[in-house]
Amino acid sequence: MASKQQAPLPKRVKFLFGGSAGMAATVFVQPLDLVKNRMQMSGEGGKVREHKTSFHAVYKIFRGEGIRGMYTGLSAGLFRQATYTTTRLGIYSMLFDFTTKSDGTPPSFLLKAGIGMAAGATGAFIGTPAEVSLIRMTSDGRLPPDQRRGYKNVFNALARISREEGVLTLWRGCGPTMARAMVVNAAQLASYSQSKQFLLGTGYFKDNILCHFGASMISGFVTTCASMPVDIAKTRIQNMRIIDGKPEYSGAIDVLTRTIRSEGVLSLWKGFTPYYARLGPHTVLTFIFLEQMNKHYRKHFMS
C-alpha cells in the first residue's frame, strides 16, 4: 500500500493539479494583488499619491467600490494561474526528469535553479496576456469614469485589447514579466530551502505545515525585496496608454529611471506590504491544495 501511495502521478495530472491549486489559492489572495497594483500606480509620474499606505488603499477601495471591488480582476487572476502556473510546472517537471541521472540522482541545486528560471520565464511568456488583462482590470477603478476601459471579464479584455490595440499588445511588458519570473523562481528556490533548513536547525520546528509557512514567509520577504523593482516596471508598462501615437514609456529602464527621478528610489518598492502578504500565503495555500488533490487522486484512482 505504501508503494502505491508513493507512486508518481501521471504528468497530465500534475499539470492539471498544479494549475488548479494555484487558482484555488488565488481566490483567497486576489484582494492583495488588487491593492498591490493600485499602490504601484499611485503617484505615478510625481502626481499626488492616491493612497498613503496599503491600509489606506484597502479603505478607499472598500468604501468606493464595495466588497466586490476587492475582487476586481479575479477572472484574469485565475486565468493567469491556469496559463502561467500550469506551464511553469509542466516545463519544470519535464526538465527535472530530463536532467535526473539514470541512477535516480536528482540535478544539483544550481541546475535546479536554472531549471526553475527557465520554467518561470517560459510560463511568464505564456501568461503575459492574462497578466496584461489583470493589471488593467485591477487598475481601472482608480481612473475617472470616462477614462475606464470597463472590461467585463478576462476574455472580454483579451478580445478588446486584440481588436482595439492589436494582438501584440497582449504581450506588452513581456520582457520585465519574464525577468520578474526568473528572479522570483531563483530567489524562492534559494531562500526557501535555506529558510527551511534554518528553522529545522533551531529545534523548535518539525517538517510540517507550520515550518513550511514560516519558511515561505521568510522566502517571500527575500523574493519581494529582489523582484519588486522589476514588478513595478512591468505593471506600469502593461497599464500605459498610447498618447498621440507614442507610448508613455519606451521600456523597463525608462520606467525605473523616471520613477526614481520623480518619486524617489524607495518608490520601486511601492506596494511592498500587499505583495509580501500575498506571496507567502499564496505559496503555502497552493502547496496545501496541491497535497490534498494528490492525496485524493491516489486514494480514489491509484489505490
Side-chain angles (χ1 to χ4, degrees):
M1 179 65 72
S3 61
K4 288 184 178 180
Q5 289 179 337
Q6 296 302 316
L9 291 132
K11 286 186 178 180
R12 63 180 181 277
V13 174
K14 288 182 181 178
F15 301 168
L16 175 64
F17 284 0
S20 299
M23 291 171 73
T26 295
V27 173
F28 291 90
V29 301
Q30 175 64 21
L32 294 171
D33 228 357
L34 173 78
V35 174
K36 185 268 294 183
N37 291 338
R38 294 283 179 94
M39 287 293 293
Q40 290 184 330
M41 296 304 300
S42 177
E44 183 181 16
K47 298 176 183 176
V48 177
R49 293 178 63 176
E50 301 160 49
H51 309 300
K52 299 174 183 177
T53 65
S54 298
F55 297 105
H56 181 243
V58 171
Y59 171 74
K60 285 193 68 175
I61 295 167
F62 190 78
R63 188 182 65 178
E65 302 170 49
I67 187 66
R68 290 186 64 183
M70 297 297 295
Y71 277 89
T72 299
L74 177 61
S75 63
L78 293 173
F79 191 62
R80 178 179 64 176
Q81 292 298 320
T83 52
Y84 167 67
T85 303
T86 303
T87 303
R88 181 181 67 162
L89 182 68
I91 297 295
Y92 184 85
S93 179
M94 287 188 291
L95 291 177
F96 188 92
D97 291 344
F98 180 76
T99 54
T100 298
K101 296 180 180 179
S102 57
D103 62 357
T105 304
S108 65
F109 176 79
L110 287 177
L111 187 53
K112 279 192 283 189
I115 291 171
M117 292 172 70
T122 307
F125 178 81
I126 300 297
T128 296
E131 191 83 42
V132 172
S133 302
L134 176 65
I135 296 301
R136 293 188 174 194
M137 291 176 75
T138 53
S139 300
D140 222 24
R142 58 182 287 274
L143 299 172
D146 61 321
Q147 294 182 25
R148 294 176 185 174
R149 294 178 170 105
Y151 300 134
K152 297 176 182 178
N153 54 57
V154 64
F155 300 110
N156 176 250
L158 294 171
R160 281 186 51 192
I161 292 169
S162 300
R163 185 172 63 250
E164 297 169 8
E165 303 174 56
V167 175
L168 291 180
T169 306
L170 294 174
W171 275 271
R172 179 178 289 169
C174 182
T177 301
M178 294 173 69
R180 184 197 63 172
M182 294 175 71
V183 171
V184 166
N185 278 275
Q188 277 185 330
L189 272 171
S191 59
Y192 181 83
S193 59
Q194 287 299 115
S195 301
K196 184 178 176 182
Q197 183 179 340
F198 169 75
L199 292 176
L200 291 174
T202 63
Y204 294 106
F205 292 87
K206 294 183 179 179
D207 194 357
N208 52 27
I209 289 180
L210 180 62
C211 178
H212 300 165
F213 181 80
S216 293
M217 295 308 290
I218 297 172
S219 172
F221 182 83
V222 175
T223 304
T224 300
C225 291
S227 64
M228 278 218 75
V230 185
D231 190 70
I232 196 169
K234 174 199 73 67
T235 297
R236 294 192 174 185
I237 287 173
Q238 291 175 334
N239 192 58
M240 72 179 178
R241 293 178 181 273
I242 306 299
I243 302 173
D244 296 328
K246 293 183 178 181
E248 293 180 69
Y249 300 106
S250 60
I253 300 300
D254 185 37
V255 175
L256 296 176
T257 53
R258 285 168 60 182
T259 300
I260 292 172
R261 187 166 60 244
S262 61
E263 303 170 51
V265 175
L266 291 180
S267 63
L268 297 180
W269 285 270
K270 193 180 290 182
F272 183 95
T273 302
Y275 189 102
Y276 171 57
R278 175 195 178 279
L279 199 60
H282 187 273
T283 301
V284 173
L285 287 169
T286 299
F287 279 122
I288 290 174
F289 286 126
L290 185 59
E291 287 298 330
Q292 290 302 309
M293 290 177 187
N294 290 344
K295 176 182 176 181
H296 287 288
Y297 184 87
R298 287 193 172 99
K299 179 180 179 181
H300 296 291
F301 297 99
M302 297 180 69
S303 59

